[in-house]
Structure formats: C-alpha cells, structure tokens
Amino acid sequence: MLFKEYLYVWERVTEGFALLKGNEKAQFSYTKVTGSRPVMRSARQSHVRVCKYMISPLLSRLNRSALPCVSCRQYGVVPEQRGLVKDEPNVAVRSKQAQQFDWALAKLDSSVRRTGRVTKTLLLRIFHDICRTGYPSGNQALLLLRSCGSLLPEVPLTERIELSQRIWDKLQELGATYDVSHYNALLKTYLQNEFRFSPTDFLAKMEAANVQPNRVTYQRLIAAYCEVGDIEGASTILGFMKSKDLPITEAVFNSLVTGHARAGDMDSSEGILSVMKGAGIEPGPDTYLSLLNVYAEKGDIAKIKQTLETVENADIHLMDRDLMQVVFSLTKAGHQQYVPEIVERMRHERGYVPDAMNLCLSLITHGHEETAFSVLKSFTGLLVESQTSDSPDLGNFFLRHCVNMDKSVENIVGFCRDLKDSGLHSSPLQFTLQCALEAKKTGMAVELMRRMKEDGLPLRPHYFWPLFTHYLKEKNIPGTLQALKAMQELGVASDVDTFSIYILPSFPSVDSARTSLKEAGIDVDANVLIAAELRTEASRGNLAELFSLMSSPALPSIDLSAFRASLISGFRGFHNVELMAKITELLYKDPRFNSADPETSENVAYFLYNLTDSMNETEVHSKEEQLREYFGLLKNMNISISPNIFRGIRNILESYQVPELVKDVLALVDKKENGLDNDATLLRGLEGKLSFLEKSLAELKAEGKPASSTLKKVITVLCAEEKLERALELKTQYESDMTPAAYAMLINLCCRHDNAEEALKLKIELARKDSEVALDAQKYVALVRVLSKHGKLEEAIDMLKEMKEKDVQLRDSMISLLTLTMNTAAMKGDANTIRRLQETIFTLGLAKPSSNLCSPLITCYLESGNYAGAFDATVEVHKQYNQMPKIHDLICGLVEKGDAELLQKVMEFLSQERGEMMMLYDLYFAFLQTGRYKEARKIIETPGLRARPTRLQWFAEKCIAAQQMEPLENMVDMTVKLFECDRDDMYHYLFRLCKETNDWQKAEANWMKMQEENLAPRERTLRLLADILKNNDKEVPFEVPEVWFEEVKGQPEMFLEREIKPSPVVQASPRKRVVASPPKEATVEDYRLKVLSLCKKGRAEEAYDILKEADSKSMVLGPAPYDTLIKALLAKGNIEDAMAVKNIATDRVSGFSLSDNANNLLIISQVKRCQMKDAMGTLKGMLKADQVPSQLALTRLVQGLASEGNTQGIQEVEGLVKTLGSINLSGMLFVNNTALSHIKNEDIDSAVEMLESFYIQNPENQKSSISFVFRKVIDANNDAVLDKLSAMAERLCNHFASYRAATDLFLIYLDTGRTEEAKFLLQRCAAVNEQKDAMFTYMLRTTQQPGQAAKIKALSELIPDFTEKENIYSHLVKCYGLDKDFRSAKALYERMQAEGVKADELTLKRLALLYKEAGEAIPFEEPPESFRFYADKLKKQRSESMEPADN
C-alpha cells in the first residue's frame, strides 16, 4: 500500500471519530442490563444485516490474502439469540455473578499489583469457581480471557493458547454470551501468545455468531497480518476501514512498522514515522518501541542506540518495561550479546523489580535461562537493599522456575554456585533440591545431591524422605531400592528412623527386606538395620523372633531407648509372659542394652513404669493375672526397682484399684538396699499432707537442720486454705527459716484478708532481711489497695515508688486494679487520696493517663453531688493529662439539677476543647438520658448538624446494655432527618434491644415505621426482626433472605417479585393451602416469575403445582426456574418430585442438566435416606460433567459411608476428590471417617493402627484432631472401642511425644461430663497439662453457648495454670451471664476480690448487668462504654500482646 493512500485514510479520521461517536451512542441505547454489559434489545434483524453488510465484502477480499500459517482450530460460536441454550439469568443469579466477578477481579488485581503476573493455579481456581454457578457472566469470561496472555510468564505459549480455548469453549457451553469485546480479547491472547491463525476464518466465526467487528477488531487483525509480514492482508483491512470511515489510530501504524520490517522492507518500516507526522500524529513511545523491537530482531545495535538518542532528544519517556521488551526481542532473535547495553540504560523505576522478575521468567520459559540470569544479577542489588534477614535468599523464583521447566542440572548448579559466590543466596543448592523434591523430580533431586556432595555440603538422610514417602505410598520396592542406592553412592548413612519408618514398611517382612537389600548390593550399617529390625519385630509383637535377635551373641550394643516405644507396644498384648520376662531380664542384665552403668541405671525400672502407664484401667483389669505372673517372674530373676519408680507405678495402679498388683510390684523393691524397714512407708497414701509437713517441719527444727523448703510448702498449703492465723503463728515460730517467697505469699494472704497492719509489718521484715527483693506487680498493687483503704496513704505511695525503683512492670489487669483502688476512695469522698495516687502513678510513669485511671477523681465529686467540684476536676484532669472522663455523667447531673449557669460553662468548655458539633452531641445525649426529649429534638435539628456514626453507636450501645428502650426509641425517631444518618443502623439498634427484652410488639411497630420511611432494610436487619417474631410464634410479614438467594444490593423488593396480581392464599381447610394460579392470560414470563417467587419463599410444593400447570400448557420456562425448583424440593428432602421436575426440564430444554448446587443437594438428600449407592453415582456424574461438589455434600457422603462401614467407598471418594484442588475440605475428613468405618465393621485394631501410624509417620499431623472419632464412640457408649482408643492416645503421648490425640480425648471427656476419666487421663499423660493453647481454645469455644460454666470450672480445677486466673474468671462470668446465674456470678466476684484478681472492663460490664437485673446495688463503678467497645478493646490488647516485640 502506498504512503499517500495512508494519508488519504488519515484524512478521514476526523469523520471516522464522528461516525464512531454516533455508533457508540446507538450502541448504548439499551433497555435492559445483563451483568454489566449493554445488550441491544431492538432492531435484531437490522443488527444481523449490518453484520453481514460489514463482514461479507471484506471476507471476499481477504480470501485472496490468507496467512501462510493457519491453524485449523475451531473457534467458539455464540448461538443466535432466538434460540439460547440457557435462559437469561434472573436477578439472584446476576447478583451472584456480580459478587463472583468482584471476588475474581480482586484476586487477580492483587496478584498483578504485587507481582505483575498471575499464576496458572490461581487462574484455574477462579475458572473452576466461576463454572460452578452454571451461569457465567460476560464480565467473568472477559476477565479470564484477558489473563491468558502475557500475564502468565511462567506458562509456555502453547499451554496458554490451550487454556484460553478451554475457557472459551467451557464458558460458552455454560451459556456465557460473547460480544465483540470477547472476540477482541481472544485476538489479543492470540497475538500475545504468537498463535498463528486465519483472520478470514476468525471473521467468518464472528459473522456466524452475529457479532459485529469494531475498530479494535480490525486493528488486531492488522497486527496479526503484520506479525507474519503480510502487508497485503493488512492493506486489505486498511482499505476496508477506509471505506467504512473508521479511524486509523497509532496502534495501526505501530503494527505496520512491525509488518514492513518482517516483510524485509526496513525503509518502509522507518518511513511509517514520516507518514504519521504527515497525518498530524506525533509518534509516541509505543511507536518507537515497535521500531526498537524490529531493530532488535535484526540485531542492529547501532540503530537501537540511535533511536534511543532520538527518543531522549524528543523528550519521549521510555519506561524500563519498554526496554525489557527490547531485551526480550534481542534474546529471542539470538543477539544476547547486546542485552547488557540495554540493561545499563534502565532507570530502576518504581515497579522495576517485579517487571524484571517477569522478564526472567519469560526468558526461562522460552529457553533463554542464561540471559535471564544475567538480567537477574542486574537487579539483585535492589533486592539486597530490601533484604531483612541475615541469610539472603535472592533468586528463589529463578531457581524454582528452572526446576519446573526441567532445565539441565549443569546449568542450574552453575547458577546456584554463582549466587552463592556472589553472596546473594545462603543455600541455593539446598533450596533447589527442595524445589525438585516438591516437584517429584527424582532424577534431578539425586543429581543435585551429588553436586552438593562435590561442593562439600552435608547430605542428611531426611533429604531422601520425600522420595521414600512417594515410593512407600505406591509400594514401589524397586524405587525404594534405587533411592537407597543413591544414598549409598552419595555416602549418606541410613539412620534408624529412615529404615523403620520408610524402608522396612515397604517390604512384606524383615527377611524379604534383608534379601532384597543384599541382592541389590546395598550395604547397610548393621547397627542401624538391627535397631530398625528390633523396632519392627517389637511393634509387630513377634517376641520369639525379638528374643532370638536380642540374645544372639552377634548382636551389637544398642540402647533400649532406640526401641523402647515399639517394645512396649509389643508387650501390651501379653501373649507370652515368659518371653516378656526373659526379654526384660536381658535388658536388665545385658550391658549391650544399657549405655549407662548397669549397676546404677534404672533403664528397666523406667521401662516397667512406661509399660504400666501405657495401659488403661480396662487393660490392667483384663490382664491382671498376666501382670502378676510377669512381676513374679521378674522377682524370681532378681530384678529390682527403686522406691521412686515404685511410687510412680503405685499411683497408676491405685487409680485402677488393683491393690494386689501393687503388692506384686512392691516385691521388686529392694528394701534393705534402700534403707527401708517395712512396706508401710511405701504404701502410705497422700492423706494428711498438711499434718505430715508440719510434723516434718518440727522434726527438722528439733534436729537443727534447715527447714526453709519445708516451711515454704507448709505456708503454701495454709495460703491455699486461707488459714491466716496459723500461717502467722508458723512465721513467728520459724522466723529464721522464712524465705522471700514465703514472705510474699503471707503478704498476699494478709491483703486478701484486708489486714493492712500485718501486711505492712511483713513487708518491713522482708525489706530488712533482703532489701533487693522485689514482689510481683499483683502483690504490690494489693498492698497499695489495702494500705490506702486503711488510711496509710504515705505507705501506699512508698510501695508505688518501690515499684518504680525495682522496675516492676504493670499489666493492664493491674492497672484496672489500681483504678478499682481509687474508686474505693471515691466512694468515701477522699479526693486527696485519689489525687496523690494519680499524681504518683503518672509522674513515675507506672501507667499512662487514661480515661479509666482519671475517672475516679470525677466520680468522687459526682457521688457527693458537688457538680462544681466535678467540673473543676474535669478541667484539671484535661489540662494535666488530656483526658475528659465522666463528661456524660456530669452533664446529665447538671441537666437533672437544673443548674443552667454551670451547664453553660461546661458547654463552653466542651465547645472550646472538642468542637461545637461534639459539644452538641454531648448535650443531646444528656437530654435523651434524662428524658428531656423536647430539648433533645431542638439540639438534633440544629442546622448543619451531620450524623456522627460512632457517637450515635456509643449511645445506642449504652441504651442496649442498660436496656433503656425509651431514650433509644426517641433517638431513632429524632434522627429521621439527620444528614447522612444510616437509618437501617438506627432501626437495627432498636431491634437488637427488642430481642434482648423479647418485645415483639415494639419490634413490629418499628417495622411499620420503617415501611413508612420507605426504607430498604439490609439482610441482617430483616433476619434479626424475623428471629424476634419467630421466637414469639408470630407470622413474619416479609420474606426472610435465604443463604442461597441473595438480593441485588439496594434493589427494591418489588423488582425481585414482579407478579401480575397478588396471589392470595385461600384457606380451603385446616390441612390444605390452595394458592391461586396466575390468570388465564398469563405468559411464560409470569409463570417463570411465580415459580421463582414461591421457591424463594420456601413454598416448593406450591411452585411444583404451578410448574405442572405451565407444563400442561406446553410452556417452556427455561433452565433457571427448573433448576431453582429442583433445589428447593431437594432442600426439603423431596427427591421424587425433584426428579419429576428434572424429567420435565429434560423434555422441554435441550441439553438440560442439574447444576452444581442441585446435584450437591441431591447427594445430601440421598445420604439422609441412606441411598449411598445412588449418592456415589451422583458424585461420579458430577465429576464426569466437570462439576465441583460442595464441601458439605462431600462431608455428608463420607460420613454416610462411614456409618455403613464402607471403607472402600470412602477411599474411592478420596481418590476422586484428589483431582479437585479448590475444595476446602477438612484435612481429617477421610482419616476420621475411615477409622469410624473400621469401628463399624468391628475391626478396631485396623482403626487404631491407622490413627497411630497417621500421627507417628508424619510430624506435620500433630495438630490434626481426632476428637470427632472420640465423640462418636462416646455417643455410641462403645466402651470397648473407647478403651482401645484411649490406650492408643496414651501410647502416642508417652512414647512418641504426640500429644494431640490424648488432648482431644481429655477435652471430650470434659465436654461430655466424664470428669473422673479426664482426671485419670491427666495422671497417665502428664504432658497433656502442657497443651495450653488447646485448652484455651476449648475455653473460648465453650463459652459461646449457655450452660457451659461447669465445664470451665472442671478444666480450671484439673489444670489450674493453663491460662491466667483473670482469663478463667472472665470467661466464667461470661458463662454466668449467658445463664442469667446472678448468684454464682456474685460469689465469683467476691472470690476475685478476696484473691486480688482484677476483672477487666468487659467482665465488670457483664457483672453490672447481672446485678441490675437482680435488683441489687453494684459494688463497683460500672464501666461507662458499651459491651462492644470493651470487647473490641480487649481483642485489640490480646492481638497486640501476641505480636513479636520490635528489636
């Protein structure tokens, strides 16, 4: 095409813009919006005519100029609108589409913002999630298609194309409507992925789909021709654009620059810039970038430099990202030698690093990892600056992608060594090995380990464990042997864990393993193999083979600890007591099994203790005779144990009530050797602990021996029993033996008993004995409280000063206790004490000034009615500490008193300090609180006053907490015209209080007011009101939003249910409801909306009748109503009618099938009816149709299979689900239910073995819970199974340091009221005491429901130190609040006071409410803010306390 023709085309640009503007105006004159894209609803045939008029002439001209490389792939075609495969989505579906689009867009946008790319995994996840709806929107399709190009640098070009085509076909199959923007997005994807296609075929497909190309379509088709240098094809489209007066943009000229260059005509390519200037277009950055890229393809570095200088002189800014494209073009064309010169010109702008990383990934994907590495090294300096760790790990993304793309090990190792030598990565080879193991690339992993060895890096046996795990799962013995050979070649010794956990279990027997190893020529350390063999034989219970091995003279030395746990497991069967005794004798007498001195070692004694501890009560009783025989044989073999070990065994056996067995164990104690006269001392119980300690204390004193330790124990017991007088007597009697710790306990006891004189006396004695000793914060504050209470203010202040001197830190709970101390003074009107304490605390910096700490001074004046003094104190506090506490109470008091003069002063002060608007709100709330509603209305109607949501919420929460309906209702009424006031929030506050007071009449009246205001309430408000009415057996006068049907936000309800006429309910009889059908002239749309409306209201049977009536008239309602009705019927368990609707839909709608949600409900319904075979068939059908089952459906199916004992079915489901990566299933679903399935089949041993191996073989499983199994077994009262599971849990805890199972069992015992069992479990598994996180989580979860106080008390009694007392008491108060148990709450508060435990503000708020409900005076100052305020504050404090401190 000649340049002058270009110029002629450009002369028409202006006219083209005008024409385009007119076209756009016509295009957007639509009447209905589907999704978020405009759809033409008029002149359909005219639209088709225009398409043919525009496309057909062009096709005939382009056929003569087809591209040389044409793919024969089929393109998706949008069906004509008159015969849509799927009905147009209704409002609910469009709402769901909009939400999913927002979610997907947010996910992709976040990824692109952070990294400049998206991963294939994320894209596929979003794609599968969108497919589940069954109604993908146009926007969703557009989003996915646009992500299949350059945003996937880690994916090869062919895979990108396949992915885009898969998305196109699947979404079209699901009913997505494609318009020109989708075809343009597909074109862009083809261009970015260098996909060769036929533009003529593409246009033909668009014509067949009745989609009209636009200017962008033609621009991209021109680009496609230019990519292959076909100027003739590009000229054909240009000529067509000219004939249609379509504007020629800069993008077209940029494509022509590329096209002429690839056609070999560089002169014409460079001349395009002159043509652009002649047409009045100044070449921009994109034009020069196109020119730079063609020079790069030619390798003309001189021209590149010249062009870059031209760009700089023309004041055109090329970004680093543009220069990276030049680097990419140079590399692809084989001119890598020029890359450094381009890289040097980069300015390292913002966003440079992620762009450079994406360049590296693209280069690796295209096979240019060497160039990618040189680019990587060019920007690692920027990464080093942002590196926060002492161990650098730069280049991880590079190494991982090299592994994923199967680059040669030689190259990868070279990169690793370079990174290591440059100090950019501390362990690149190890990281690369990790990537190879994660990707299951065995050959690469072994080769990398070989290179690590060459570099002198240590190789560990666990490096091979991922390989062994893979082979073990597949029972791949050759693979296991191959990995072992690799270990041997690399000189890595196999340890006992490797053999016992990963290798030997792969073989049928130890002998077969030994034979296979020998045949394979694998040398194994004899000691390791023997230890592993001992473990294996012991765990399998092969005692004869085990004894033969152990007694063999060839057996090397091996410590018992190497196989103790397995030996205990084998012993517990007691199948051969004689062999057990012989093995024990070997352990006792053979020095090979004892690394310590056999004469002094207690190896066997501890073994006997662990064996006894591993058995539960049922086992001990059932095996009592065997145990007595076993201990008798040990006695005959002269095996003895120490008294300490005996005491441990005695405690276990006494809890099982087997006294005769205790005597048999006692016989093993050598009393002469241990200086014991008789058995009485060892058999004595723990009764009379205090008297025994006092007796021991007297004996020590009489003998003149130190008694400090014993005295401390006695005082500890006395303090626990609150025996102050006796403790003081002992202190006087044994004063010389008193330790600082004993003094501290006594001081605290005196404070609890309000004995200031003795507390001060003890503190002085302690200081005299050791002036450097510091008490903890709780005891100091207790001293301050009791001393100030009894008028010893100076001494109390001295305590505060000592805290500062000794750097004693105050926690929030202690600060609250100081507030309570000052409040006590406030009740007495002692303002001087409060001022002195506040001044000391703030001056010393013990605590920062806060509203709570400053409020007691104001309270002091308010309680005495001295409002002038209160105001002066407020001004003083604000001036000194910038706090303004109790201002609401002060204003309320002045309003009630009618002191207008002082009130005016307060208002002026507030206006000056907080602003006029805040002052008006303070006065408004005071008028409301005091019932001056007329004055309040005048305040709120002040011109210019705006809503302050936080202030309105504060007063609303205050009213709700105090259950004050009148002021809250007046506030809602008065704020109806308040600017920017959220009316739904206001009514929501009212409904919350109505629910608290169970006042349904008030709620109903306010619902009417909402309608009068023409408000559209939020779903939360509707649900709250519905709950109030339902709880009082009242009819709900509106539709309650369901989870599966969501309204469009802000859409009036009438648009959701557009009915021709109301459908009155005719009461035919007490048992039958007849719903009036649509009128005879009703259309398909009327029936369709009626069915959807009834389904939404939960009236599925009536909707079914309407559907049958429509079907009798041969009406086709479309897929959506059928699917919705099927779901509604299945939600009620009506499978028969649902399947009947499915049959109707199949007959009426071609290709109809159940949606994901419908199939999920069908599975759940079938499981409820125990139709497990049908449910499995439904699941397989879903997967075959590429549908994704829901988490709930899979869970119910697996649980149903477990209830039938169908272990094979569970395994089959697990195998099917493995292919679905986006389902958030519980990690323990299959494990727990497989165990329950074994139990159902009475195969308890298999269940135990599976659970035990689950915890032992993988340390990562230690956090996984099996409480579901325990719960099911206990609910079924299956004691035999429970005994075996309990024994397993104890064995895991005591021998394998796996505590989760025992912790689960302990908490289930507590939850089901089996406190004694929980106590015994703690005795047998002491480590459960240390699982404090689990205990705390249990407490948090339990206190969410009423009636749980007993469980929290039981937990705190069994494990008193699992958390701080403050936490336990606060949660107990919460429980009593839920139970409305004032008596218990009051007793607990008095106990807290006695123990000096300070309640947090939320706890005090809960207690105050209980006191008020009981009609009793509140013995403390009620915190002024709302419950939510203090809950949020406490949550924030906890989260901050868990954050790591800054270094």
Side-chain angles (χ1 to χ4, degrees), residues 126 157 279 298 399 475 499 648 697 814 962 969 1186 1208 1296 1349:
I126 292 172
L157 300 181
K298 303 294 183 182
L399 297 173
K475 295 296 180 183
F499 260 91
L697 185 63
M814 295 301 103
E969 193 170 17
D1186 203 20
Q1208 185 177 355
F1296 297 98

Side-chain angles (χ1 to χ4, degrees), residues 1-2 5-6 9 58 61-62 65 222 225-226 230-242 256 260:
M1 188 175 182
L2 301 177
E5 191 169 354
Y6 289 152
V9 170
L58 182 60
R61 297 169 65 182
L62 286 177
S65 177
I222 289 171
Y225 279 116
C226 290
D230 187 350
I231 295 299
E232 183 181 350
S235 300
T236 304
I237 294 182
L238 272 172
F240 185 77
M241 292 179 72
K242 180 185 69 174
L256 291 170
H260 282 295

Side-chain angles (χ1 to χ4, degrees), residues 35 68 293 381 420 489 656 677 689 692 703 748 911 986 1103 1177 1222 1246 1330 1386 1409:
N293 280 326
K420 178 78 171 178
E489 292 171 3
Y656 295 159
D677 297 331
K689 181 178 181 181
F692 172 73
E703 296 172 2
N748 203 32
S911 179
M986 294 293 102
S1222 57
S1246 294
E1330 303 304 319
K1386 182 179 180 181
L1409 182 59

